[in-house]
Amino acid sequence: MPLDRQEVEKIAHLARLTLNEQQIPFYASNISKILDLIAQINEADTDNIVPMAHPMEHLTQRMREDKVTETDQRELFQAIAPSTEAGLYLVPKVIDEQ
Amino acid sequence: MTAIHTMTLAQLSEELAKKTLSSVELTQYFLDRIEKLDKKYNSFITVTAEHALEKAKQCDAVRAQNQAGPLTGLPIAHKDIFCTKGIKTSCGSKMLDNFISPYDATMVSQVDAAGMVMLGKTNMDEFAMGSSNETSFYGPVHNPWDLNTVPGGSSGGSAAAVAARLTPASSGTDTGGSIRQPAALCGVTGLKPTYGRISRYGMIAFASSLDQGGPFAQTAEDVAMLLQAMSGFDPKDSTSVDVPVPDYVALLNQSLSGKIIGIPKEYFKQGLDREVEKRVQDAIATFEKLGARIQEVSLPTSPLSISVYYVVASAECSSNLSRFDGVRYGHRCDNPKDLEDLYKRSRSEGFGDEVKRRIMVGTYALSSGYYDAYYLKAQKVRKLISDDFKRVFEQVDFLIGPTTPTPAFKIGEKANDPVSMYLSDIYTIATNLAGLPGLSIPAGFVNDLPVGVQLTGKHFDEGLLLNAAHCYQQQTDWHKRIPKSCA
């Protein structure tokens, strides 16, 4: 099932990626081939099959007690951040000035 | 004394215990080998010489006080996907080229507590997405057996470093074959343990329901020693399983007499190279000589495993990699004009083509209106694949088959055709989908390139796989062969 340019651009946007003009046909062709490979799953009859939710079937995700276990390591973590000020992570302005 | 680099972990452990060698000497020896030889292979991204020698000194002090364990003072290299405190952890990506981890992965801490000396961080496919180590931001790794061929991937650096005897041990991760496939192509022993056996805390996530860390070494005995140190329950990983860790080394010498080995007939179709098949048949014959009985079995849904994998793994990767946003750590673009531009340009500049491709496939599969057709359907087929194994394991103790359809391919040969690259994982992927342990061991050569056979076991039956592999390695010497390029 070949994807067209618009579909590729839409997926890229949803994934918060940008592709330049020359890359689009390359991605469209490769992703279409991968989707063809994936389409083989339709060969299997899965009526009445319960989807596998965990690779260890009889197990489920463990819950932990609702207790604070982490200590405050803000300075350590922010030391590797691209841009911070007064203990806050900086991003471009998201609210317009009136 | 034989050359240090040809010795196994078990042998080196004895030398350290006899004090014919100190950990500082051993560490310096391997650091010198890396310095001298790794230009050829590019198997390391970061060499942590200072850190290693400091740790080795501490290990020698521990030994002087008679408090050394079996792994105290022995070197290891970690795949650059495992977080290491204060040391660059790149995951093979430009996105994390500037990332100095603020904490250690649990597996790294456990190995460190067992006294092992980290030599450095090994090269890998970007975010573990690849089967050839060609998607690394740091360039491809060259297979020590033929520098024009790939070492396999994604743990290509870890496998090549052990093959070239630049380290006696290394760690890797396996989401669809990323330990077993490079182990096979480089002629070393590599184990993907049961899902949940080794903590995933601090192991940078690719596909969380499939990812599992594990060891590489020359022999099954060494892998058993490493698995012992790496395994165990970790409250920090919600998928870690609380099952006791057996004494894997103590299990190595049990007789294989009466064990029933299943041969999945599907693994001998699907483009298996005829010469590779002969080596696998030779290995099966050796296991028969060791007293095991052979029985043909069928895993009828396994041919669909690659298709299922590229839905499940891509969907989980698109979700996991959404954390890379240019805000808290990692690559950030220059002068973003707004928040969307910050996200889009940081991610587009930071990720390579294969990673973007998989994020996009996963995003598509999870997008509105497609969930049932892709992710849900794939998880149902995954159940069928898992049920195939369950049925077969009612009849046999473990399975044997090829690890890969062919020996190592040329660098560049499959780089522009993602689907043909994906097919090189045809025999390894089903194991991950079912959460089972898988072990690849050297089983001969085709055109001077190594061939691996894969042993697949029941959940938490790593002990039997290592036992079987150890018995095989007492009868064969494939695992002792060393590439000429590193002599």
Side-chain angles (χ1 to χ4, degrees), chain B residues 297-485:
Chain B
V297 295
S298 176
L299 299 168
T301 323
S302 67
L304 295 179
S305 58
I306 291 188
S307 301
V308 171
Y309 177 85
Y310 279 96
V311 178
V312 174
S314 304
E316 293 181 7
C317 108
S318 78
S319 169
N320 272 323
L321 272 62
S322 65
R323 76 191 59 185
F324 299 101
D325 56 5
V327 175
R328 291 155 302 148
Y329 52 85
H331 178 74
R332 181 187 189 118
C333 67
D334 289 332
N335 306 315
K337 67 177 196 304
D338 55 28
L339 194 58
E340 184 168 301
D341 185 44
L342 168 69
Y343 292 154
K344 285 188 170 175
R345 274 202 294 130
S346 299
R347 288 165 64 77
S348 300
E349 292 167 9
F351 294 139
D353 279 333
E354 180 63 18
V355 172
K356 285 182 207 168
R357 195 149 49 219
R358 296 209 199 182
I359 290 175
M360 287 176 65
V361 169
T363 302
Y364 180 76
L366 292 176
S367 62
S368 173
Y370 291 106
Y371 180 85
D372 285 5
Y374 289 103
Y375 195 71
L376 196 69
K377 175 76 182 181
Q379 292 286 52
K380 287 180 180 174
V381 184
R382 183 178 181 178
K383 175 77 166 74
L384 295 176
I385 291 169
S386 171
D387 285 349
D388 281 357
F389 281 108
K390 210 188 289 174
R391 229 178 353 257
V392 160
F393 282 133
E394 283 167 9
Q395 306 158 38
V396 303
D397 294 299
F398 62 98
L399 303 173
I400 293 185
T403 309
T404 61
T406 65
F409 45 90
K410 293 262 184 277
I411 292 175
E413 187 180 323
K414 299 184 182 188
N416 294 317
D417 184 357
V419 169
S420 98
M421 181 78 82
Y422 297 172
L423 295 175
S424 69
D425 294 329
I426 180 80
Y427 307 127
T428 47
I429 279 179
T431 313
N432 299 74
L433 292 170
L436 300 166
L439 175 71
S440 182
I441 52 174
F445 290 82
V446 170
N447 300 328
D448 299 324
L449 290 169
V451 168
V453 297
Q454 176 180 220
L455 281 57
T456 307
K458 300 172 188 174
H459 288 138
F460 296 105
D461 216 5
E462 288 85 355
L464 176 60
L465 300 186
L466 292 166
N467 167 206
H470 180 69
C471 294
Y472 176 82
Q473 289 179 340
Q474 304 308 301
Q475 301 295 318
T476 57
D477 68 351
W478 305 118
H479 59 287
K480 292 182 184 164
R481 307 289 179 92
I482 298 175
K484 289 192 190 86
S485 69

Side-chain angles (χ1 to χ4, degrees), chain B residues 221-300:
Chain B
E221 181 183 21
D222 289 0
V223 165
M225 291 168 70
L226 294 162
L227 182 63
Q228 199 82 45
M230 292 176 173
S231 297
F233 176 65
D234 179 12
K236 289 178 180 162
D237 171 5
S238 67
T239 60
S240 175
V241 182
D242 197 358
V243 169
V245 180
D247 184 342
Y248 294 112
V249 176
L251 295 170
L252 288 172
N253 287 303
Q254 298 184 101
S255 162
L256 296 185
S257 173
K259 293 286 179 208
I260 306 174
I261 304 178
I263 311 296
K265 64 178 183 193
E266 289 79 7
Y267 286 20
F268 290 80
K269 296 174 188 161
Q270 300 168 348
L272 177 61
D273 179 283
R274 288 200 47 200
E275 292 301 314
V276 172
E277 180 174 358
K278 283 184 196 160
R279 302 301 171 277
V280 179
Q281 296 296 357
D282 289 347
I284 293 169
T286 304
F287 281 103
E288 269 188 298
K289 258 187 248 162
L290 287 163
R293 281 200 290 133
I294 304 299
Q295 183 179 328
E296 188 185 86
V297 295
S298 176
L299 299 168

Side-chain angles (χ1 to χ4, degrees), chain A residues 12-72:
Chain A
H13 169 70
L14 289 173
R16 296 299 182 270
L17 292 168
T18 44
L19 302 177
N20 63 38
E21 274 306 303
Q22 302 96 291
Q23 286 175 319
I24 292 176
F26 168 69
Y27 275 84
S29 139
N30 277 329
I31 294 174
S32 299
K33 278 189 209 158
I34 297 168
L35 292 176
D36 286 343
L37 173 76
I38 284 173
Q40 291 171 18
I41 56 176
N42 295 313
E43 291 167 16
D45 177 2
T46 53
D47 287 352
N48 305 315
I49 300 296
V50 180
M52 208 163 154
H54 194 290
M56 308 291 289
E57 242 189 307
H58 53 288
L59 294 175
T60 50
Q61 201 100 326
R62 184 165 36 79
M63 307 291 269
R64 66 165 175 83
E65 262 187 276
D66 188 15
K67 274 203 312 213
V68 177
T69 52
E70 290 291 324
T71 52
D72 181 5

